[in-house]
Amino acid sequence: AQKVTQAQTEISVVEKEDVTLDCVYETRDTTYYLFWYKQPPSGELVFLIRRNSFDEQNEISGRYSWNFQKSTSSFNFTITASQVVDSAVYFCALRRNFNKFYFGSGTKLNVKP
Amino acid sequence: NAGVTQTPKFRVLKTGQSMTLLCAQDMNHEYMYWYRQDPGMGLRLIHYSVGEGTTAKGEVPDGYNVSRLKKQNFLLGLESAAPSQTSVYFCASSDTGQAGLEQYFGPGTRLTVT
């Protein structure tokens, strides 16, 4: 079965705190892709990052970083020095091919000033 | 480029009524998708299309029909709306090959069925 689990339903932090959003996935495929999307209060879905199953290098983009570990089937997302504008629902997703795209249930991040 | 657009943004239907949601993309993408988003459930794929004139069922297709008569448009139809179809509907598109791995989403349509 293909599955994406985001166990944290909602997280609240105070501005400037670091926060990590967890994502655990299940797949038997050797080739797959993992994604993070952001859904701000306005409702649109914004693509943040894509990782393929052969590339376990961590990635950093400004205050955002991603930790991909195949050994634990995890693709965690860390926001450093969080800001109020980071408040959103974040979705982790797994893609096998063009028609097999599985989303987690999302983690709502509240960043308080 | 407008990207992916959806019409309408909001709609209220009575049980049994029908309606069509329109999705349009100007990126010349081959693949298009319709999802629904319900609280606590993430996004679930309703139908998708891999090219003009083709459609296929996703995870939750019952109660919906789709058509892709033109490459840039993907229509989602509800023939007889039910309260269980109250949801936010997102359209997405993607390219082919390595360039098409991520999906680009429209702004969503909030549908309420009373």
Side-chain angles (χ1 to χ4, degrees):
Chain A
Q2 326 296 322
K3 189 177 172 182
V4 177
T5 302
Q6 294 180 255
Q8 304 151 309
T9 305
E10 188 165 352
I11 301 174
S12 293
V13 299
V14 177
E15 207 170 20
K16 296 185 183 177
E17 285 185 3
D18 298 347
V19 58
T20 296
L21 310 182
D22 298 332
C23 174
V24 175
Y25 62 92
E26 285 180 45
T27 182
R28 293 182 180 179
D29 292 347
T30 54
T31 301
Y32 55 88
Y33 302 87
L34 296 164
F35 302 80
W36 277 96
Y37 283 86
K38 175 182 180 180
Q39 187 175 42
S42 51
E44 73 273 22
L45 283 151
V46 178
F47 165 75
L48 295 178
I49 189 172
R50 176 192 82 214
R51 259 293 174 262
N52 73 53
S53 52
F54 299 108
D55 182 1
E56 286 191 73
Q57 273 193 329
N58 292 333
E59 180 153 341
I60 298 175
S61 175
R63 295 183 297 106
Y64 294 172
S65 62
W66 291 269
N67 184 345
F68 176 28
Q69 292 195 342
K70 286 179 74 172
S71 60
T72 56
S73 296
S74 64
F75 186 41
N76 296 338
F77 173 29
T78 297
I79 301 175
T80 303
S82 59
Q83 300 177 1
V84 173
V85 293
D86 295 327
S87 296
V89 179
Y90 291 86
F91 290 98
C92 180
L94 165 70
R95 179 173 187 162
R96 294 171 60 206
N97 55 41
F98 62 83
N99 65 332
K100 299 295 184 186
F101 215 113
Y102 303 90
F103 282 82
S105 55
T107 296
K108 184 176 182 182
L109 176 63
N110 302 305
V111 181
K112 301 176 182 178
Chain B
N1 286 352
V4 180
T5 58
Q6 292 181 231
T7 309
K9 288 186 169 51
F10 303 94
R11 186 71 187 267
V12 178
L13 287 180
K14 293 185 178 179
T15 298
Q17 287 185 320
S18 63
M19 78 162 294
T20 300
L21 306 184
L22 170 63
C23 175
Q25 53 97 3
D26 61 2
M27 297 173 282
N28 203 36
H29 284 169
E30 287 293 333
Y31 304 153
M32 295 186 75
Y33 311 79
W34 275 107
Y35 290 90
R36 59 179 289 172
Q37 182 181 21
D38 301 297
M41 298 188 73
L43 278 77
R44 293 181 293 168
L45 183 64
I46 304 171
H47 285 280
Y48 64 95
S49 168
V50 300
E52 183 178 314
T54 71
T55 63
K57 294 179 180 179
E59 183 184 358
V60 288
D62 294 341
Y64 305 96
N65 56 75
V66 288
S67 64
R68 185 126 180 245
L69 299 179
K70 293 183 179 180
K71 185 177 183 179
Q72 63 268 33
N73 295 337
F74 194 29
L75 306 179
L76 178 70
L78 286 73
E79 289 185 351
S80 180
S84 60
Q85 293 178 305
T86 293
S87 188
V88 180
Y89 292 85
F90 285 96
C91 176
S93 71
S94 68
D95 209 337
T96 56
Q98 288 289 314
L101 293 171
E102 49 263 29
Q103 297 179 332
Y104 295 86
F105 285 86
T109 295
R110 186 173 294 275
L111 174 66
T112 302
V113 182
T114 61

